[in-house]
C-alpha cells in the first residue's frame, strides 16, 4: 500500500479507513523511538495514521518552536519504511482557527513537575491531542513513556472527558550508552552529549536502589557531579505525578529534566518498590 500524505482535514477524511485505526501523534524529526510506536500501532489496527505537527500551542515564549527540527521528507521515508498508511501533516492555520477561544485545561496536574517549568505546555498538548482524536477518530493511540507526565495527562483526559479511544504506552528507546532518543538530541554538541549521559546514569543509579529515599539520594548524587543545570528530579506516582512517600509500595516514576548548553532534555524510568 502506498503511503498517503494528508495535508489538511479534507485529505485526512478521504484517506481514513472504515476499519480500525491506530494513531501515533508526533512532532516529526522522527527517530527510532517514533518507529517503535509505529510498530506497536501497526500491530493494533488495520490502518496506522501518524500525525506530524509541530504544535505552536505547547511551546512557551523563548522556547525552541522556531528552531525545532523539521525533517519532513525523511520523516515520510521513515513512515513508508514502517508500513504507515497515512501521514497527517496539517499546517498551523488548518489546525487552529484565527479566532479560536476554547482549549483543554490540564488542571492542577498540568501545573506540577514539568508543568511548573513550562506553564501552559500541557494545556497546549492536550488541546492538540484532543483535536487529533476528533479529526482522526482512532480506536487506539500510542504514546511514549519517555514523556511520562504527558502520557499520564492524556490518560486522565480520556477518563475525565469520556473519550472513546484506548491509550497505549510504549517503552522508552535508548542509545546503546543509555541516552534516551529525542528529536532534540540533534542540537547536542559532542561535549553536550557526553554531559547529557548523566541523565540516564542518574536514573539508572536511582533505579538500582530499593527504597524511595535512597533512590532520590543516589540519583541526586549522580546529577550533582555532572555539570547539568537540573530543573527537577522527582520520584512520583505514574498516574498523578504526586511525590511518593518514603513508605510507598508499588510502581513510581523517577523523572528528571535538565539543561545542557541551550538544550533541555527530559528522561524517566519506572521503579517498583
Ligand atoms: P515528539 O515527536 O517528541 O512529540 O514525540 C512523539 C511521541 O514519541 C510521543 O508519544 C513521545 O513520548 C514518543 N517518544 C519520543 N521519544 C521517544 C523514545 N526515545 N522512545 C519511545 N517513545 C518516544
Amino acid at each position: 500500500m502506498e503511503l498517503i500524505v494528508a495535508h489538511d482535514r479534507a485529505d485526512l477524511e478521504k484517506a481514513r479507513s472504515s476499519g480500525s485505526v491506530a494513531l501515533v501523534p508526533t512532532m516529526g524529526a522522527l527517530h527510532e523511538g517514533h518507529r517503535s510506536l509505529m510498530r506497536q500501532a501497526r500491530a493494533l489496527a488495520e490502518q496506522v495514521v501518524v500525525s506530524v505537527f509541530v504544535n505552536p500551542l505547547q511551546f512557551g515564549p523563548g522556547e525552541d518552536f522556531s528552531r525545532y527540527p523539521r525533517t519532513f521528507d525523511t520523516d515520510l521515508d521513515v513512515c513508508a519504511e514502517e508500513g504507515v498508511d497515512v501521514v497527517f501533516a496539517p499546517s498551523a492555520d488548518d489546525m487552529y482557527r484565527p479566532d479560536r477561544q476554547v482549549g483543554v485545561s490540564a488542571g492542577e496536574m498540568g501545573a506540577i513537575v514539568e508543568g511548573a517549568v513550562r506553564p501552559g505546555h500541557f494545556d497546549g498538548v492536550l488541546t492538540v491531542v484532543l483535536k487529533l482524536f476528533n479529526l482522526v477518530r482512532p480506536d487506539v493511540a500510542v504514546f511514549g513513556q519517555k514523556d511520562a507526565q504527558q502520557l499520564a495527562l492524556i490518560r486522565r483526559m480520556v477518563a475525565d472527558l469520556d473519550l472513546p479511544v484506548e491509550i497505549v504506552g510504549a517503552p522508552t528507546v535508548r542509545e546503546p550508552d543509555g541516552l534516551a532518543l529525542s528529536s532534540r538530541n540533534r542540537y547536542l554538541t559532542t561535549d553536550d552529549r557526553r554531559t547529557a549521559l548523566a541523565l540516564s546514569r542518574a536514573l539508572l543509579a536511582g533505579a538500582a536502589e530499593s527504597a524511595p529515599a535512597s533512590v532520590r539520594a543516589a540519583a541526586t548524587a549522580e546529577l550533582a557531579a555532572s555539570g547539568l543545570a537540573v530543573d527537577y528530579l522527582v520520584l512520583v506516582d505514574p498516574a498523578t505525578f504526586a511525590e511518593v512517600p518514603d513508605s510507598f509500595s508499588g510502581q513510581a516514576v523517577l523523572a528528571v529534566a535538565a539543561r545542557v548548553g541551550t538544550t533541555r532534555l527530559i528522561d524517566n524510568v519506572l521503579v517498583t518498590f
Side-chain angles (χ1 to χ4, degrees):
M1 275 280 283
E2 192 76 353
L3 175 69
I4 300 172
V5 182
H7 285 288
D8 57 32
R9 58 190 69 212
D11 288 355
L12 175 70
E13 199 54 46
K14 269 184 258 153
R16 193 190 178 284
S17 100
S18 51
S20 59
V21 176
L23 171 66
V24 180
T26 81
M27 298 205 298
L30 301 178
H31 51 64
E32 207 48 52
H34 298 113
R35 283 184 191 260
S36 79
L37 269 48
M38 292 174 202
R39 284 175 208 145
Q40 283 247 21
R42 187 67 282 165
L44 291 169
E46 284 150 30
Q47 186 179 56
V48 175
V49 178
V50 170
S51 59
V52 174
F53 181 61
V54 185
N55 175 30
L57 239 57
Q58 70 189 70
F59 289 81
E63 291 186 1
D64 58 347
F65 174 69
S66 55
R67 72 162 186 151
Y68 194 84
R70 288 161 171 89
T71 60
F72 191 59
D73 291 341
T74 7
D75 291 348
L76 291 183
D77 294 340
V78 169
C79 291
E81 281 166 24
E82 295 301 333
V84 168
D85 300 291
V86 181
V87 169
F88 178 45
S91 67
D93 289 346
D94 193 58
M95 278 302 267
Y96 296 117
R97 295 152 50 91
D99 61 345
R100 72 169 201 99
Q101 296 286 316
V102 177
V104 179
S105 162
E108 286 177 16
M109 199 179 143
I112 57 175
V113 192
E114 182 73 1
V117 186
R118 304 185 68 187
H121 168 67
F122 288 120
D123 291 358
V125 169
L126 294 187
T127 299
V128 80
V129 169
L130 180 59
K131 284 170 69 73
L132 289 168
F133 286 174
N134 286 333
L135 290 167
V136 177
R137 302 189 302 283
D139 299 277
V140 53
V142 186
F143 294 88
Q145 177 65 38
K146 160 80 166 43
D147 298 277
Q149 192 173 0
Q150 167 177 290
L151 175 60
L153 278 162
I154 288 165
R155 290 191 195 283
R156 284 299 283 258
M157 173 171 76
V158 165
D160 289 350
L161 302 183
D162 304 299
L163 304 181
V165 58
E166 182 195 341
I167 303 302
V168 170
T172 301
V173 177
R174 298 177 180 281
E175 303 275 11
D177 61 8
L179 186 70
L181 293 186
S182 162
S183 302
R184 291 187 169 97
N185 289 353
R186 66 188 72 202
Y187 301 148
L188 300 173
T189 64
T190 312
D191 277 358
D192 287 347
R193 198 187 174 290
R194 199 173 306 123
T195 310
L197 279 176
L199 256 70
S200 52
R201 219 169 38 236
L203 296 178
L204 222 68
E209 299 294 324
S210 53
S214 43
V215 168
R216 289 189 177 98
T220 305
E222 206 45 73
L223 288 174
S226 70
L228 283 165
V230 178
D231 280 342
Y232 58 79
L233 171 78
V234 292
L235 183 64
V236 294
D237 183 316
T240 62
F241 263 66
E243 288 275 358
V244 301
D246 281 342
S247 58
F248 184 77
S249 74
Q251 199 168 56
V253 179
L254 180 62
V256 65
R259 283 158 285 126
V260 43
T262 53
T263 306
R264 188 168 178 281
L265 299 173
I266 62 171
D267 197 358
N268 70 87
V269 290
L270 291 167
V271 190
T272 306
F273 297 103

